[in-house]
Amino acid sequence: MEDIEAIAALQDPVRRRLYEYVAAQGREVGRNEAAEAVGVARTLAAHHLDRLTEAGLLDSGSRRLTGRSGPGAGRPAKVYTRTRAERSVSLPARDYRTAAELLAEAAEEAGLDAGLRTAARRRGEALRGPASPCGDLEEAMEVLAARGYEPHVEGGKEEEAESPGGEAGADGRVVRMRNCPFHAVAERFPPLVCGMNLALLEGLLGADGPVRARMDARPGECCVVVENSKNNER
């Protein structure tokens, strides 16, 4: 019942917009910022943000938004982030997570990593269908967003952005993803599931196209990043 009540809290359109805004930022969001972003009064935003916290959809805390400390720095403000807890509802009850974990455990014990990656790449290609490989990062982001990855761009030529591994795309931009659709299983079987995820995205985006997917794990985000291919540099 807790999950049903939590999801029901999003029925209010203002509350849902506030939740979606906070979730999309990937950082702490204050009441003033959230209110301005969705176009409502601060008091109304505060009410709905606290309701989302009570429902277990957001976590709240407090900090000084001025970035200063000591006398004159101002009072700490309430801030919100999306909770890491998952919510799902199935009527009648289903338990696909346990099935996925059992299958992953069996695949790992049997050393079926390569076979799983092959199947995942094939599934990605089937999902892409007759469409050509993604032509640029913007197109790739649309595909990723449609599948729940919550992509966002980091870096650029001006920043000379590089990944921790020392690589960067042709123009320095990297698409990272705030959500992993396979998070629960990936936490228990990271090499197996992350390899599957990479292969799936290679098939979905097109392994030989202008963009490429590669591993670059970072805490709290998907283990795969997407960037322009080196051979796409102009």
Side-chain angles (χ1 to χ4, degrees), residues 137 153-162 168-174:
L137 290 185
V153 175
E154 287 188 0
K157 286 185 176 179
E158 299 82 4
E159 301 175 23
E160 297 182 353
E162 291 191 351
D171 63 355
R173 294 188 301 160
V174 174

Side-chain angles (χ1 to χ4, degrees), residues 8-161:
L10 296 173
Q11 183 176 359
D12 183 282
V14 173
R15 198 174 298 156
R16 184 165 61 251
R17 293 204 309 273
L18 285 164
Y19 172 79
E20 290 171 348
Y21 178 78
V22 173
Q25 304 316 301
R27 56 173 172 78
E28 294 176 329
V29 175
R31 289 171 167 176
N32 287 340
E33 178 187 346
E36 183 177 348
V38 303
V40 299
R42 182 185 183 279
T43 53
L44 181 60
H47 166 73
H48 284 306
L49 289 167
D50 285 341
R51 286 291 302 275
L52 290 166
T53 302
E54 292 169 5
L57 295 171
L58 296 180
D59 289 331
S60 65
S62 61
R63 68 177 177 86
R64 289 187 172 90
L65 299 178
T66 61
R68 304 194 305 271
S69 60
R75 296 175 59 187
K78 201 163 187 179
V79 292
Y80 303 84
T81 55
R82 179 171 59 182
T83 182
R84 292 185 63 81
E86 296 182 12
R87 301 289 185 178
S88 62
V89 174
S90 176
L91 298 173
R94 298 289 186 261
D95 190 2
Y96 298 114
R97 175 174 172 175
T98 297
E101 289 179 346
L102 287 171
L103 290 169
E105 184 176 352
E108 190 172 73
E109 290 178 355
L112 300 179
D113 304 57
L116 179 59
R117 289 194 298 271
T118 298
R121 190 173 292 105
R122 189 164 56 239
R123 174 59 63 91
E125 292 168 350
L127 291 170
R128 176 160 52 90
S132 301
C134 289
D136 52 36
L137 290 185
E138 286 67 30
E139 185 180 346
M141 287 182 68
E142 291 181 7
V143 172
L144 294 167
R147 300 205 63 82
Y149 282 91
E150 300 181 6
H152 64 102
V153 175
E154 287 188 0
K157 286 185 176 179
E158 299 82 4
E159 301 175 23
E160 297 182 353

Side-chain angles (χ1 to χ4, degrees), residues 167-186:
E167 289 188 271
D171 63 355
R173 294 188 301 160
V174 174
V175 174
R176 293 189 177 273
M177 294 164 266
R178 291 194 175 98
N179 184 51
C180 171
F182 316 110
H183 173 73
V185 187

